[in-house]
Protein backbone atom coordinates (compact mmCIF):
# COMPACT_ATOMS: atom_id res chain seq x y z
CA UNK A 1 0.00 0.00 0.00
CA UNK A 2 2.92 2.36 0.74
CA UNK A 3 4.29 1.77 -2.77
CA UNK A 4 0.86 2.52 -4.20
CA UNK A 5 0.67 5.78 -2.24
CA UNK A 6 4.09 6.80 -3.54
CA UNK A 7 3.29 6.05 -7.17
CA UNK A 8 -0.26 7.39 -7.23
CA UNK A 9 -1.77 10.60 -5.93
CA UNK A 10 -4.45 9.08 -3.66
CA UNK A 11 -6.51 12.28 -3.61
CA UNK A 12 -6.69 12.26 -7.40
CA UNK A 13 -7.37 8.52 -7.37
CA UNK A 14 -10.36 9.01 -5.06
CA UNK A 15 -11.76 11.72 -7.33
CA UNK A 16 -11.56 9.66 -10.52
CA UNK A 17 -12.22 6.23 -9.01
CA UNK A 18 -15.69 6.23 -10.56
CA UNK A 19 -14.06 6.04 -14.01
CA UNK A 20 -12.37 2.78 -13.05
CA UNK A 21 -15.70 1.41 -11.82
CA UNK A 22 -17.52 2.32 -15.04
CA UNK A 23 -14.72 0.89 -17.21
CA UNK A 24 -14.75 -2.37 -15.25
CA UNK A 25 -18.55 -2.68 -15.40
CA UNK A 26 -18.87 -1.98 -19.12
CA UNK A 27 -16.02 -4.28 -20.13
CA UNK A 28 -16.97 -7.13 -17.80
CA UNK A 29 -20.67 -7.07 -18.64
CA UNK A 30 -20.06 -7.50 -22.38
CA UNK A 31 -17.62 -10.37 -21.83
CA UNK A 32 -20.03 -12.03 -19.40
CA UNK A 33 -22.92 -11.63 -21.85
CA UNK A 34 -20.83 -13.21 -24.62
CA UNK A 35 -19.93 -16.19 -22.43
CA UNK A 36 -23.56 -16.63 -21.43
CA UNK A 37 -24.64 -16.73 -25.07
CA UNK A 38 -21.88 -19.25 -25.84
CA UNK A 39 -23.30 -21.47 -23.08
CA UNK A 40 -26.77 -21.32 -24.63
CA UNK A 41 -28.29 -18.83 -22.18
CA UNK A 42 -29.56 -15.28 -22.77
CA UNK A 43 -26.80 -12.67 -22.49
CA UNK A 44 -28.63 -10.99 -19.62
CA UNK A 45 -27.99 -14.07 -17.45
CA UNK A 46 -24.23 -13.51 -17.57
CA UNK A 47 -24.67 -9.76 -17.22
CA UNK A 48 -26.54 -10.29 -13.95
CA UNK A 49 -24.11 -12.87 -12.60
CA UNK A 50 -21.06 -10.68 -13.25
CA UNK A 51 -22.47 -8.19 -10.73
CA UNK A 52 -22.51 -10.92 -8.08
CA UNK A 53 -18.96 -11.99 -9.01
CA UNK A 54 -17.49 -8.48 -8.97
CA UNK A 55 -19.51 -7.34 -5.95
CA UNK A 56 -19.18 -7.87 -2.20
CA UNK A 57 -20.48 -11.45 -2.42
CA UNK A 58 -17.29 -12.75 -4.12
CA UNK A 59 -14.39 -10.64 -5.42
CA UNK A 60 -15.33 -7.36 -3.76
CA UNK A 61 -13.93 -5.26 -6.63
CA UNK A 62 -17.09 -3.18 -6.84
CA UNK A 63 -19.77 -1.98 -4.48
CA UNK A 64 -23.02 -0.15 -4.97
CA UNK A 65 -22.50 3.62 -4.88
CA UNK A 66 -24.91 6.56 -5.31
CA UNK A 67 -23.52 7.15 -8.82
CA UNK A 68 -24.02 3.52 -9.88
CA UNK A 69 -27.52 3.53 -8.36
CA UNK A 70 -28.51 6.66 -10.29
CA UNK A 71 -27.03 5.47 -13.58
CA UNK A 72 -28.75 2.11 -13.07
CA UNK A 73 -32.07 3.88 -12.49
CA UNK A 74 -31.68 5.69 -15.81
CA UNK A 75 -30.80 2.34 -17.39
CA UNK A 76 -33.99 0.59 -16.29
CA UNK A 77 -36.09 3.62 -17.26
CA UNK A 78 -34.64 3.61 -20.79
CA UNK A 79 -35.04 -0.18 -21.01
CA UNK A 80 -38.75 0.07 -20.25
CA UNK A 81 -39.04 3.08 -22.58
CA UNK A 82 -37.71 0.88 -25.39
CA UNK A 83 -40.21 -1.82 -24.41
CA UNK A 84 -42.99 0.72 -24.83
CA UNK A 85 -41.69 1.80 -28.24
CA UNK A 86 -41.63 -1.86 -29.33
CA UNK A 87 -45.14 -2.65 -28.13
CA UNK A 88 -47.91 -2.96 -30.69
CA UNK A 89 -50.71 -0.98 -29.04
CA UNK A 90 -53.42 -2.89 -30.93
CA UNK A 91 -51.98 -6.14 -29.57
CA UNK A 92 -51.76 -4.48 -26.16
CA UNK A 93 -55.53 -3.86 -26.23
CA UNK A 94 -56.25 -7.40 -27.42
CA UNK A 95 -54.31 -8.94 -24.51
CA UNK A 96 -56.00 -6.80 -21.80
CA UNK A 97 -58.18 -9.71 -20.64
CA UNK A 98 -55.29 -12.16 -20.46
CA UNK A 99 -53.02 -9.60 -18.79
CA UNK A 100 -55.64 -8.96 -16.11
CA UNK A 101 -56.02 -12.66 -15.32
CA UNK A 102 -52.24 -13.12 -15.18
CA UNK A 103 -51.80 -10.11 -12.90
CA UNK A 104 -54.60 -10.99 -10.47
CA UNK A 105 -53.51 -14.62 -10.11
CA UNK A 106 -49.91 -13.44 -9.84
CA UNK A 107 -50.89 -11.24 -6.90
CA UNK A 108 -53.18 -13.56 -4.93
CA UNK A 109 -50.96 -16.67 -4.84
CA UNK A 110 -47.68 -14.93 -3.85
CA UNK A 111 -49.46 -12.90 -1.16
CA UNK A 112 -51.02 -15.98 0.42
CA UNK A 113 -47.77 -17.96 0.07
CA UNK A 114 -45.60 -15.26 1.67
CA UNK A 115 -48.08 -14.76 4.50
CA UNK A 116 -48.27 -18.49 5.32
CA UNK A 117 -44.47 -18.91 5.22
CA UNK A 118 -44.15 -15.98 7.63
CA UNK A 119 -46.56 -17.59 10.08
CA UNK A 120 -44.82 -20.95 9.69
CA UNK A 121 -41.53 -19.37 10.78
CA UNK A 122 -43.17 -17.64 13.78
CA UNK A 123 -43.05 -14.13 12.36
CA UNK A 124 -45.69 -11.71 13.64
CA UNK A 125 -48.95 -11.42 11.73
CA UNK A 126 -48.03 -7.90 10.57
CA UNK A 127 -44.57 -8.99 9.38
CA UNK A 128 -46.06 -12.07 7.70
CA UNK A 129 -48.56 -9.88 5.85
CA UNK A 130 -45.69 -7.67 4.69
CA UNK A 131 -43.71 -10.69 3.46
CA UNK A 132 -46.76 -11.62 1.39
CA UNK A 133 -46.86 -8.06 0.07
CA UNK A 134 -43.18 -8.27 -0.81
CA UNK A 135 -43.74 -11.39 -2.93
CA UNK A 136 -46.50 -9.59 -4.86
CA UNK A 137 -43.95 -7.22 -6.44
CA UNK A 138 -42.97 -7.81 -10.06
CA UNK A 139 -40.32 -6.15 -12.20
CA UNK A 140 -40.26 -7.18 -15.84
CA UNK A 141 -37.17 -5.19 -16.80
CA UNK A 142 -35.10 -8.40 -16.87
CA UNK A 143 -37.90 -10.24 -18.68
CA UNK A 144 -38.06 -7.46 -21.26
CA UNK A 145 -34.41 -7.87 -22.17
CA UNK A 146 -34.70 -11.65 -22.33
CA UNK A 147 -37.81 -11.46 -24.51
CA UNK A 148 -35.99 -9.08 -26.85
CA UNK A 149 -33.11 -11.55 -27.18
CA UNK A 150 -35.56 -14.37 -27.90
CA UNK A 151 -37.48 -12.30 -30.45
CA UNK A 152 -40.67 -12.48 -28.38
CA UNK A 153 -41.06 -8.82 -27.37
CA UNK A 154 -43.85 -8.14 -29.84
CA UNK A 155 -45.50 -11.55 -29.53
CA UNK A 156 -48.87 -12.04 -27.86
CA UNK A 157 -47.09 -13.60 -24.87
CA UNK A 158 -44.63 -10.74 -24.55
CA UNK A 159 -47.32 -8.07 -24.67
CA UNK A 160 -49.39 -10.02 -22.14
CA UNK A 161 -46.45 -10.07 -19.74
CA UNK A 162 -45.97 -6.31 -20.09
CA UNK A 163 -49.67 -5.56 -19.60
CA UNK A 164 -49.83 -7.86 -16.56
CA UNK A 165 -46.74 -6.19 -15.07
CA UNK A 166 -48.37 -2.74 -15.24
CA UNK A 167 -51.53 -3.97 -13.51
CA UNK A 168 -49.43 -5.97 -11.05
CA UNK A 169 -47.57 -2.79 -10.12
CA UNK A 170 -50.82 -0.91 -9.49
CA UNK A 171 -52.26 -3.72 -7.35
CA UNK A 172 -48.97 -4.12 -5.48
CA UNK A 173 -48.78 -0.40 -4.63
CA UNK A 174 -52.37 -0.43 -3.34
CA UNK A 175 -51.75 -3.52 -1.19
CA UNK A 176 -48.53 -2.04 0.18
CA UNK A 177 -50.34 1.19 1.08
CA UNK A 178 -53.10 -0.76 2.87
CA UNK A 179 -50.55 -2.80 4.85
CA UNK A 180 -48.53 0.26 5.88
CA UNK A 181 -51.69 2.19 6.76
CA UNK A 182 -53.18 -0.47 9.01
CA UNK A 183 -49.85 -1.57 10.48
CA UNK A 184 -49.20 2.04 11.51
CA UNK A 185 -52.68 2.37 12.94
CA UNK A 186 -53.42 5.42 10.81
CA UNK A 187 -57.06 6.39 11.18
CA UNK A 188 -57.11 7.97 7.74
CA UNK A 189 -55.63 4.95 5.98
CA UNK A 190 -58.85 4.07 4.11
CA UNK A 191 -59.10 7.60 2.77
CA UNK A 192 -55.39 7.44 1.88
CA UNK A 193 -56.09 4.37 -0.25
CA UNK A 194 -58.96 6.13 -2.01
CA UNK A 195 -56.72 9.12 -2.70
CA UNK A 196 -53.98 6.82 -4.00
CA UNK A 197 -56.38 5.10 -6.41
CA UNK A 198 -57.59 8.48 -7.65
CA UNK A 199 -53.99 9.62 -8.16
CA UNK A 200 -53.22 6.48 -10.19
CA UNK A 201 -56.33 6.92 -12.35
CA UNK A 202 -55.42 10.59 -12.84
CA UNK A 203 -51.92 9.61 -13.93
CA UNK A 204 -53.19 7.23 -16.63
CA UNK A 205 -55.71 9.84 -17.80
CA UNK A 206 -52.94 12.44 -18.14
CA UNK A 207 -50.71 9.92 -19.93
CA UNK A 208 -53.33 9.45 -22.64
CA UNK A 209 -54.03 13.20 -22.97
CA UNK A 210 -50.35 14.17 -23.13
CA UNK A 211 -49.45 11.21 -25.34
CA UNK A 212 -52.22 11.92 -27.85
CA UNK A 213 -52.31 15.71 -27.98
CA UNK A 214 -49.02 17.09 -26.66
CA UNK A 215 -46.20 14.78 -27.73
CA UNK A 216 -46.89 14.58 -31.52
CA UNK A 217 -46.86 18.39 -32.08
CA UNK A 218 -43.94 18.76 -29.66
CA UNK A 219 -41.80 16.33 -31.67
CA UNK A 220 -42.85 17.91 -34.97
CA UNK A 221 -41.76 21.28 -33.64
CA UNK A 222 -38.50 19.80 -32.29
CA UNK A 223 -37.71 18.38 -35.73
CA UNK A 224 -37.43 21.96 -37.03
CA UNK A 225 -34.95 23.14 -34.38
CA UNK A 226 -31.50 24.03 -35.71
CA UNK A 227 -29.53 21.76 -33.39
CA UNK A 228 -28.41 18.13 -33.30
CA UNK A 229 -30.21 14.98 -32.09
CA UNK A 230 -33.35 16.82 -30.99
CA UNK A 231 -35.62 13.77 -31.41
CA UNK A 232 -33.32 11.59 -29.30
CA UNK A 233 -33.09 14.27 -26.62
CA UNK A 234 -36.85 14.80 -26.57
CA UNK A 235 -37.33 11.03 -26.31
CA UNK A 236 -35.07 10.80 -23.27
CA UNK A 237 -36.82 13.83 -21.76
CA UNK A 238 -40.17 12.04 -22.19
CA UNK A 239 -38.86 8.79 -20.68
CA UNK A 240 -37.43 10.53 -17.61
CA UNK A 241 -40.30 13.00 -17.34
CA UNK A 242 -42.99 10.30 -17.43
CA UNK A 243 -40.96 8.21 -14.94
CA UNK A 244 -40.72 11.17 -12.57
CA UNK A 245 -44.46 11.84 -12.90
CA UNK A 246 -45.30 8.19 -12.19
CA UNK A 247 -43.26 8.34 -8.98
CA UNK A 248 -45.06 11.53 -7.95
CA UNK A 249 -48.43 9.83 -8.52
CA UNK A 250 -47.47 6.83 -6.38
CA UNK A 251 -46.38 4.40 -9.12
CA UNK A 252 -42.98 2.99 -10.04
CA UNK A 253 -40.95 5.09 -12.49
CA UNK A 254 -40.68 2.18 -14.91
CA UNK A 255 -44.45 2.27 -15.44
CA UNK A 256 -44.21 5.90 -16.50
CA UNK A 257 -41.31 5.33 -18.89
CA UNK A 258 -43.05 2.31 -20.43
CA UNK A 259 -46.15 4.38 -21.18
CA UNK A 260 -44.00 7.20 -22.56
CA UNK A 261 -42.64 4.71 -25.09
CA UNK A 262 -46.10 3.30 -25.73
CA UNK A 263 -47.51 6.74 -26.54
CA UNK A 264 -44.56 7.61 -28.78
CA UNK A 265 -44.92 4.28 -30.60
CA UNK A 266 -48.03 5.82 -32.17
CA UNK A 267 -46.03 8.64 -33.76
CA UNK A 268 -43.97 8.64 -36.95
CA UNK A 269 -40.82 9.12 -34.87
CA UNK A 270 -40.96 5.70 -33.16
CA UNK A 271 -38.43 3.92 -35.40
CA UNK A 272 -35.89 6.75 -35.25
CA UNK A 273 -36.33 6.97 -31.49
CA UNK A 274 -35.98 3.24 -30.97
CA UNK A 275 -32.73 2.94 -32.94
CA UNK A 276 -31.06 5.89 -31.25
CA UNK A 277 -32.25 5.19 -27.69
CA UNK A 278 -31.27 1.52 -28.06
CA UNK A 279 -27.70 2.50 -28.96
CA UNK A 280 -27.19 4.86 -26.04
CA UNK A 281 -28.98 2.54 -23.60
CA UNK A 282 -27.22 -0.75 -24.32
CA UNK A 283 -23.79 0.79 -24.70
CA UNK A 284 -23.82 2.49 -21.31
CA UNK A 285 -26.85 2.74 -19.01
CA UNK A 286 -28.51 -0.70 -19.26
CA UNK A 287 -25.30 -2.69 -18.54
CA UNK A 288 -24.84 -0.69 -15.35
CA UNK A 289 -28.41 -1.55 -14.33
CA UNK A 290 -27.83 -5.27 -14.83
CA UNK A 291 -24.62 -5.23 -12.80
CA UNK A 292 -26.18 -3.15 -10.02
CA UNK A 293 -28.65 -5.94 -9.21
CA UNK A 294 -25.76 -8.26 -8.37
CA UNK A 295 -23.84 -5.58 -6.48
CA UNK A 296 -26.72 -4.98 -4.07
CA UNK A 297 -26.64 -8.55 -2.79
CA UNK A 298 -24.07 -9.71 -0.27
CA UNK A 299 -24.84 -13.40 -0.07
CA UNK A 300 -21.62 -13.95 1.88
CA UNK A 301 -23.24 -12.21 4.85
CA UNK A 302 -26.20 -14.61 5.18
CA UNK A 303 -26.58 -16.13 8.64
CA UNK A 304 -27.25 -19.84 9.00
CA UNK A 305 -30.12 -19.01 11.37
CA UNK A 306 -32.31 -17.53 8.61
CA UNK A 307 -31.05 -19.69 5.74
CA UNK A 308 -34.09 -21.99 5.88
CA UNK A 309 -36.45 -18.99 5.79
CA UNK A 310 -34.59 -17.60 2.76
CA UNK A 311 -34.82 -20.92 0.92
CA UNK A 312 -38.53 -21.34 1.74
CA UNK A 313 -39.48 -17.80 0.72
CA UNK A 314 -37.41 -18.00 -2.48
CA UNK A 315 -39.08 -21.25 -3.55
CA UNK A 316 -42.52 -19.83 -2.78
CA UNK A 317 -41.65 -16.56 -4.58
CA UNK A 318 -40.73 -18.45 -7.74
CA UNK A 319 -43.49 -21.06 -7.75
CA UNK A 320 -46.41 -18.77 -6.84
CA UNK A 321 -45.65 -16.29 -9.61
CA UNK A 322 -44.96 -19.07 -12.11
CA UNK A 323 -48.13 -21.00 -11.27
CA UNK A 324 -50.33 -17.94 -10.70
CA UNK A 325 -49.33 -16.33 -14.00
CA UNK A 326 -49.62 -19.64 -15.86
CA UNK A 327 -53.13 -20.29 -14.53
CA UNK A 328 -54.27 -16.83 -15.61
CA UNK A 329 -52.73 -17.27 -19.06
CA UNK A 330 -54.24 -20.74 -19.48
CA UNK A 331 -57.72 -19.43 -18.63
CA UNK A 332 -57.16 -16.71 -21.24
CA UNK A 333 -56.58 -19.38 -23.88
CA UNK A 334 -52.80 -19.71 -24.15
CA UNK A 335 -51.18 -23.11 -24.66
CA UNK A 336 -49.59 -24.86 -21.67
CA UNK A 337 -46.08 -23.99 -22.80
CA UNK A 338 -46.90 -20.33 -23.51
CA UNK A 339 -48.72 -20.08 -20.17
CA UNK A 340 -45.66 -21.30 -18.30
CA UNK A 341 -43.55 -18.84 -20.30
CA UNK A 342 -45.84 -15.98 -19.29
CA UNK A 343 -45.71 -17.12 -15.66
CA UNK A 344 -41.90 -17.18 -15.88
CA UNK A 345 -41.90 -13.60 -17.14
CA UNK A 346 -43.59 -12.46 -13.93
CA UNK A 347 -41.13 -14.07 -11.50
CA UNK A 348 -38.37 -11.44 -11.23
CA UNK A 349 -38.80 -8.94 -8.38
CA UNK A 350 -35.88 -6.74 -9.46
CA UNK A 351 -35.68 -3.13 -8.33
CA UNK A 352 -39.41 -3.08 -7.43
CA UNK A 353 -38.85 -5.76 -4.79
CA UNK A 354 -35.92 -3.79 -3.38
CA UNK A 355 -38.05 -0.65 -3.16
CA UNK A 356 -40.79 -2.52 -1.28
CA UNK A 357 -38.21 -4.09 1.06
CA UNK A 358 -36.65 -0.70 1.79
CA UNK A 359 -40.07 0.76 2.62
CA UNK A 360 -40.76 -2.14 4.98
CA UNK A 361 -37.41 -1.62 6.73
CA UNK A 362 -37.97 2.14 7.13
CA UNK A 363 -41.49 1.56 8.55
CA UNK A 364 -40.25 -1.06 11.03
CA UNK A 365 -42.26 -3.86 9.41
CA UNK A 366 -39.16 -6.03 8.87
CA UNK A 367 -35.80 -6.34 10.61
CA UNK A 368 -32.34 -5.89 9.08
CA UNK A 369 -32.05 -9.69 8.78
CA UNK A 370 -35.35 -9.90 6.93
CA UNK A 371 -34.21 -7.11 4.62
CA UNK A 372 -31.15 -9.22 3.79
CA UNK A 373 -33.58 -12.05 3.05
CA UNK A 374 -35.46 -9.68 0.74
CA UNK A 375 -32.28 -8.86 -1.20
CA UNK A 376 -31.48 -12.55 -1.68
CA UNK A 377 -35.04 -13.26 -2.89
CA UNK A 378 -34.77 -10.39 -5.38
CA UNK A 379 -31.44 -11.73 -6.64
CA UNK A 380 -32.62 -15.35 -6.89
CA UNK A 381 -35.89 -14.54 -8.68
CA UNK A 382 -34.05 -12.22 -11.05
CA UNK A 383 -31.41 -14.83 -11.92
CA UNK A 384 -33.90 -17.65 -12.49
CA UNK A 385 -36.08 -15.66 -14.90
CA UNK A 386 -33.90 -15.61 -18.08
CA UNK A 387 -33.24 -19.38 -18.26
CA UNK A 388 -36.91 -20.18 -17.56
CA UNK A 389 -38.08 -17.82 -20.30
CA UNK A 390 -35.61 -19.42 -22.70
CA UNK A 391 -36.83 -22.88 -21.68
CA UNK A 392 -40.51 -22.19 -22.32
CA UNK A 393 -40.16 -19.87 -25.33
CA UNK A 394 -37.72 -22.04 -27.28
CA UNK A 395 -38.43 -25.37 -28.99
CA UNK A 396 -36.03 -27.80 -27.33
CA UNK A 397 -35.95 -30.05 -30.41
CA UNK A 398 -34.55 -27.64 -32.95
CA UNK A 399 -33.91 -24.41 -31.03
CA UNK A 400 -36.54 -22.40 -32.90
CA UNK A 401 -38.84 -19.99 -31.15
CA UNK A 402 -42.24 -21.30 -30.13
CA UNK A 403 -45.36 -19.98 -31.80
CA UNK A 404 -48.38 -18.78 -29.86
CA UNK A 405 -51.49 -20.90 -30.03
Amino acid sequence: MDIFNQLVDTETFDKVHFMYEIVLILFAVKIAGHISKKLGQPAVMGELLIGVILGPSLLGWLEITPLIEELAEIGVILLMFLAGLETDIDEFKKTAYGSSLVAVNGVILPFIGGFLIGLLFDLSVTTSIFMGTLLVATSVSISVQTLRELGKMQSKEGVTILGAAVLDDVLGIIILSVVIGFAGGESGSVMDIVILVLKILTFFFLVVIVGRFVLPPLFKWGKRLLTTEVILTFGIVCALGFAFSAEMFGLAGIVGSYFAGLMLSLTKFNHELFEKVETISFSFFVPIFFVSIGLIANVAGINASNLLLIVALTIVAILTKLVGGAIGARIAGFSNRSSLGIGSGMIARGEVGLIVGTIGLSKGLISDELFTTTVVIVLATTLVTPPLLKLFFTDTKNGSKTVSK
Side-chain angles (χ1 to χ4, degrees):
M1 192 66 183
D2 291 335
I3 297 175
F4 176 81
N5 291 333
Q6 292 175 5
L7 295 175
V8 179
D9 183 347
T10 54
E11 185 177 345
T12 302
F13 178 79
D14 291 338
K15 287 181 180 179
V16 300
H17 186 255
F18 75 94
M19 296 183 189
Y20 151 77
E21 294 176 331
I22 299 301
V23 167
L24 181 57
I25 289 172
L26 295 180
F27 181 76
V29 79
K30 294 304 180 183
I31 299 300
H34 172 76
I35 294 173
S36 184
K37 292 281 283 187
K38 282 287 187 180
L39 295 175
Q41 293 298 322
V44 67
M45 182 70 180
E47 293 165 354
L48 291 167
L49 280 173
I50 197 64
V52 179
I53 294 170
L54 296 177
S57 295
L58 292 175
L59 296 179
W61 291 358
L62 291 171
E63 61 183 24
I64 198 74
T65 64
L67 176 63
I68 291 176
E69 280 185 320
E70 288 160 2
L71 292 175
E73 182 70 16
I74 295 174
V76 70
I77 285 171
L78 292 180
L79 181 62
M80 294 306 294
F81 180 63
L82 286 168
L85 286 172
E86 272 190 287
T87 302
D88 184 334
I89 200 162
D90 292 327
E91 194 67 41
F92 188 82
K93 293 175 183 177
K94 292 177 185 176
T95 59
Y97 173 66
S99 295
S100 300
L101 289 174
V102 171
V104 171
N105 280 280
V107 165
I108 295 174
L109 265 65
F111 183 82
I112 294 173
F115 174 69
L116 293 178
I117 290 293
L119 294 180
L120 183 65
F121 281 82
D122 295 324
L123 301 179
S124 68
V125 173
T126 301
T127 301
S128 297
I129 290 174
F130 182 80
M131 296 312 293
T133 305
L134 174 69
L135 298 196
V136 166
T138 290
S139 173
V140 293
S141 50
I142 302 303
S143 299
V144 163
Q145 177 57 15
T146 308
L147 289 168
R148 293 180 82 243
E149 290 187 40
L150 296 174
K152 299 287 289 183
M153 242 330 283
Q154 300 181 54
S155 67
K156 189 177 180 181
E157 293 90 345
V159 176
T160 299
I161 290 172
L162 286 167
V166 172
L167 183 56
D168 191 291
D169 184 73
V170 173
L171 293 174
I173 291 294
I174 293 173
I175 293 172
L176 177 62
S177 301
V178 171
V179 171
I180 291 174
F182 284 103
E186 299 174 15
S187 57
S189 58
V190 175
M191 181 56 66
D192 290 340
I193 303 306
V194 173
I195 292 173
L196 175 63
V197 172
L198 290 175
K199 285 171 65 178
I200 291 172
L201 292 175
T202 301
F203 170 77
F204 286 116
F205 173 76
L206 291 175
V207 162
V208 174
I209 297 300
V210 173
R212 286 287 192 178
F213 303 108
V214 177
L215 295 186
L218 176 65
F219 274 75
K220 287 179 182 177
W221 171 76
K223 192 73 173 176
R224 297 196 299 267
L225 294 181
L226 302 177
T227 185
T228 59
E229 299 296 354
V230 177
I231 298 302
L232 172 60
T233 302
F234 276 21
I236 294 173
V237 166
C238 287
L240 296 176
F242 274 58
F244 172 79
S245 300
E247 294 280 359
M248 293 298 99
F249 279 88
L251 289 164
I254 56 176
V255 173
S257 60
Y258 173 70
F259 274 93
L262 193 64
M263 290 294 102
L264 286 171
S265 71
L266 300 173
T267 70
K268 65 179 182 180
F269 303 102
N270 62 329
H271 295 299
E272 179 182 355
L273 268 173
F274 182 85
E275 291 176 1
K276 293 183 175 181
V277 174
E278 184 181 41
T279 299
I280 193 173
S281 300
F282 284 92
S283 61
F284 188 77
F285 293 102
V286 172
I288 294 175
F289 163 65
F290 291 146
V291 172
S292 71
I293 297 292
L295 294 181
I296 291 169
N298 186 3
V299 296
I302 297 175
N303 297 321
S305 58
N306 64 344
L307 182 59
L308 188 59
L309 174 61
I310 290 174
V311 172
L313 280 171
T314 300
I315 292 173
V316 169
I318 293 170
L319 290 181
T320 51
K321 277 289 185 185
L322 175 64
V323 174
I327 290 173
R330 194 71 187 93
I331 294 173
F334 285 93
S335 67
N336 290 333
R337 193 182 186 90
S338 290
S339 297
L340 288 169
I342 291 170
S344 300
M346 302 296 292
I347 290 174
R349 271 43 174 207
E351 74 288 349
V352 177
L354 293 173
I355 291 169
V356 173
T358 302
I359 292 172
L361 183 64
S362 65
K363 297 290 184 180
L365 295 174
I366 57 174
S367 62
D368 289 335
E369 285 189 353
L370 281 177
F371 180 72
T372 301
T373 300
T374 297
V375 174
V376 175
I377 292 171
V378 167
L379 179 64
T381 55
T382 301
L383 288 174
V384 79
T385 298
L388 281 178
L389 282 171
K390 180 177 173 61
L391 174 67
F392 293 121
F393 282 147
T394 304
D395 187 343
T396 55
K397 291 182 179 180
N398 54 29
S400 61
K401 279 99 178 181
T402 58
V403 179
S404 307
K405 292 183 180 178

